[in-house]
Amino acid sequence: MENGDGHVSTHGTQLSVRGGKTLSVSVGDNALKLYEPAPKDRLRSACRSIVTGSSGMRLIPLYNVLWLEISNKRLVIDYAAQLSKTSIKLETWTFDLADKTEPLDEYQPEQFVSNVLKRAYSGSQLRKRAYVLINPHAGPGGAMRKWYNDVEPLFRAARMELDVVVLQKGGEAEELAEKADIDKYDTIMACSGDGTPHEIFNGLAKRSDAVHALSRIAVSHIPCGSGNAMSCNLYGTYRPSFAALAIIKGHVTSLDLASVTQGHRRYVSFLSQSLGIVAESDLGTENLRWIGSSRFELGILMRIFRRRCYPCDLAVKVEISDKQDIRAYYKQHTADIDSNDIPLINATVNGDSKGLPKLKYGTVQDALPEGWEQVKYDKIGNFYCGNMAYMAPDAKFFSAALASDGCMDLVTVNGDLSPITATKLLYSVENGKFFDNAHVQYKKISAYRITPRDQKDGFISIDGERVPFEPFQAEIHQGLGRVISKRGQYEDLG
């Protein structure tokens, strides 16, 4: 918006432009305040996040402020306007700053701008440098449209530095991450589903300086796929524009990563590993990607009514097994979290490893370590181990998951439940009662080995990616990875 001729005075947290009427801009603890006694039509905005009082005061949350600058005797304010519950768009307000007609106070407009930016970013890095990898084939498609319409305008307004690559083939993100100049960027950003972040983490893990690379550059996620679990957990949303704003204002956060060994291979997992109903419902419905996340529910329902079981042998390094103890542990670790004062955890490196940390428990081909709990499951229907709470927007399977507590969360459920009981169990994931369900075994663990029995072929999922159907072993590395999160912890979509 523009104002007529006048003069400017600044007082550190306030900037006034005086003409026939007084228009002032000031900054409070949580909002940028714009005041005009008699608001004119040109001041109106469709932004739901702007609060307008009868006095003409308009409040823009500092979280939504992207940038301020003085340009050609104008104060320019770029901000993210929340037009609805599902949409954020860039808006710009401009104030004409006429030549001064009397001596100014000790504060200058530039100092006001600096002060507002400092408060608006609240310890988060300004002008982040991003290596953006767009997967145009993710989920139901549309990643390019979402990038250009919903995401890039916000990043440009926030003065981020962007190097953008449109991926052409599977595995390309892994190759690019392995070769990336980690000193050139603050984040490698995936515009995709959860498969591209998986590739990015594994590309960084292949480097000779893997530990340094994983702890140096943060991975971030613009949700453009079917599940979008990474964005749901880190930003509390599966909407691209909301995730973009959370990345702009977000904080670098430590993330536990798991090493998964299978045969002579070693993967890095940031999200989950599964065998059974969930793996089959994900990987076995690839032909239904066009319907989005609904394909998971359809796949699960089909297998529930078949009462599918997946016999296996399981050995686990258990840390906490009682649900009440897990509840108390989670409450203790989430109390009084302040994203501005969360120290980054440095992963413990065993031995003189130039790549990934040395495995504490060896590989799946070694003898089982002592002290692991061993169980033969004849009727298991779902083996699910996670490092994040949400696996999809309405699928909070791991309600006690923490970003960097050095534990994985293990869920096992029998497959011989009646269809009615199993269906109720499925819907308890959506209503938040899954953890307390008597049919759900929930444990905090640090390592495990699972060996399928009888079944010779099937689906095993690592971060939603299919791997061979054969025994595998996993162990956690506390704080090995870095991500950009909204507040230094997992968000709740509820």
Side-chain angles (χ1 to χ4, degrees):
M1 96 189 129
E2 300 186 6
N3 197 73
D5 293 337
H7 72 268
V8 180
S9 65
T10 58
H11 302 281
T13 59
Q14 181 170 320
L15 180 66
S16 298
V17 182
R18 296 188 179 91
K21 296 179 180 179
T22 299
L23 172 64
S24 68
V25 184
S26 63
V27 58
D29 291 336
N30 300 307
L32 194 63
K33 303 176 181 179
L34 296 90
Y35 175 75
E36 186 175 38
K40 300 176 181 179
D41 289 344
R42 64 173 180 261
L43 301 181
R44 291 177 182 171
S45 168
C47 181
R48 288 166 56 96
S49 56
I50 295 181
V51 180
T52 304
S54 58
S55 64
M57 180 72 73
R58 294 164 184 266
L59 305 179
I60 305 177
L62 289 177
Y63 178 76
N64 291 65
V65 175
L66 302 174
W67 200 257
L68 294 87
E69 66 180 11
I70 305 297
S71 177
N72 297 323
K73 299 181 180 180
R74 288 182 171 183
L75 170 65
V76 182
I77 303 174
D78 291 323
Y79 65 96
Q82 184 176 338
L83 305 180
S84 68
K85 291 182 178 180
T86 62
S87 177
I88 284 179
K89 294 293 183 182
L90 172 65
E91 283 192 1
T92 301
W93 283 356
T94 302
F95 301 81
D96 280 344
L97 302 179
D99 292 333
K100 60 184 180 180
T101 58
E102 62 183 40
L104 298 179
D105 295 334
E106 58 179 313
Y107 295 108
Q108 299 297 318
E110 288 79 6
Q111 289 177 288
F112 173 81
V113 166
S114 177
N115 188 24
V116 173
L117 283 175
K118 182 178 179 180
R119 296 194 187 186
Y121 278 79
S122 187
S124 176
Q125 181 181 344
L126 282 75
R127 306 187 68 170
K128 295 182 177 73
R129 303 167 300 166
Y131 190 23
V132 183
L133 308 182
I134 303 176
N135 181 358
H137 307 295
M144 296 303 300
R145 173 183 53 81
K146 294 171 183 176
W147 167 256
Y148 286 119
N149 293 345
D150 302 329
V151 177
E152 186 183 30
L154 299 179
F155 286 160
R156 297 292 183 190
R159 307 315 193 257
M160 287 179 59
E161 298 180 27
L162 306 172
D163 282 349
V164 181
V165 176
V166 179
L167 302 174
Q168 304 296 325
K169 60 181 181 178
E172 186 179 0
E174 185 171 318
E175 296 172 5
L176 293 172
E178 183 180 3
K179 299 174 182 177
D181 182 351
I182 60 174
D183 294 321
K184 184 178 179 181
Y185 306 106
D186 302 304
T187 180
I188 302 180
M189 183 185 302
C191 296
S192 63
D194 294 310
T196 302
H198 173 80
E199 288 191 23
I200 292 171
F201 279 118
N202 278 276
L204 294 172
K206 282 185 174 181
R207 298 167 61 107
S208 60
D209 61 345
V211 171
H212 172 68
L214 287 164
S215 63
R216 165 64 184 82
I217 192 163
V219 180
S220 52
H221 183 215
I222 297 296
C224 299
S226 299
N228 303 310
M230 186 173 184
S231 178
C232 290
N233 286 281
L234 297 180
Y235 317 126
T237 182
Y238 56 92
R239 310 281 184 189
S241 58
F242 286 79
L245 179 57
I247 291 170
I248 291 169
K249 294 302 183 73
H251 302 262
V252 176
T253 303
S254 300
L255 182 72
D256 294 347
L257 298 177
S259 278
V260 179
T261 62
Q262 191 178 51
H264 296 287
R265 299 172 297 275
R266 181 177 180 181
Y267 311 98
V268 168
S269 172
F270 79 96
L271 179 61
S272 65
Q273 310 92 47
S274 63
L275 182 155
I277 289 177
V278 168
E280 290 204 2
S281 301
D282 181 2
L283 301 174
T285 59
E286 289 285 333
N287 60 317
L288 300 176
R289 279 185 174 272
W290 59 274
I291 68 174
S293 60
S294 298
R295 68 185 177 95
F296 300 118
E297 291 186 13
L298 178 61
I300 288 176
L301 286 172
M302 291 171 59
R303 287 155 180 81
I304 281 177
F305 281 93
R306 296 175 189 167
R307 299 195 183 192
R308 290 294 304 272
C309 294
Y310 307 83
C312 65
D313 298 329
L314 180 63
V316 181
K317 178 68 170 66
V318 178
E319 301 299 331
I320 311 175
S321 60
D322 181 79
K323 286 186 178 180
Q324 292 303 317
D325 291 342
I326 292 173
R327 191 187 301 275
Y329 172 91
Y330 179 80
K331 184 177 181 180
Q332 176 186 353
H333 280 72
T334 54
D336 302 324
I337 288 182
D338 182 350
S339 60
N340 294 325
D341 193 32
I342 297 177
L344 292 175
I345 296 173
N346 293 318
T348 300
V349 180
N350 298 314
D352 186 22
S353 175
K354 293 184 179 180
L356 288 172
K358 184 178 178 181
L359 294 169
K360 182 178 180 180
Y361 299 109
T363 75
V364 69
Q365 297 180 320
D366 296 323
L368 273 175
E370 294 183 2
W372 285 26
E373 178 184 294
Q374 300 184 54
V375 181
K376 291 184 178 296
Y377 284 100
D378 296 322
K379 297 182 179 181
I380 193 170
N382 192 35
F383 168 91
Y384 210 179
C385 191
N387 189 40
M388 290 187 170
Y390 286 90
M391 296 296 109
D394 54 357
K396 191 176 185 180
F397 277 96
F398 305 104
S399 53
L402 296 163
S404 55
D405 67 332
C407 288
M408 298 175 279
D409 288 31
L410 174 62
V411 166
T412 53
V413 180
N414 284 341
D416 62 346
L417 302 177
S418 71
I420 293 178
T421 300
T423 301
K424 289 181 178 178
L425 180 61
L426 170 64
Y427 284 106
S428 73
V429 177
E430 297 183 20
N431 61 30
K433 298 180 180 180
F434 182 75
F435 178 87
D436 292 315
N437 192 293
H439 296 289
V440 174
Q441 298 181 51
Y442 196 114
K443 299 177 181 179
K444 284 276 188 181
I445 67 172
S446 56
Y448 69 86
R449 179 184 298 180
I450 186 167
T451 305
R453 283 192 285 115
D454 303 333
Q455 188 179 352
K456 294 183 179 180
D457 191 24
F459 294 96
I460 293 175
S461 171
I462 308 296
D463 295 349
E465 302 297 303
R466 187 176 184 178
V467 300
F469 192 78
E470 59 187 56
F472 66 95
Q473 179 167 310
E475 70 174 66
I476 201 75
H477 304 290
Q478 185 176 13
L480 178 60
R482 295 289 184 270
V483 291
I484 294 179
S485 72
K486 186 175 181 178
R487 298 184 301 155
Q489 62 180 335
Y490 291 150
E491 298 297 313
D492 194 340
L493 275 70

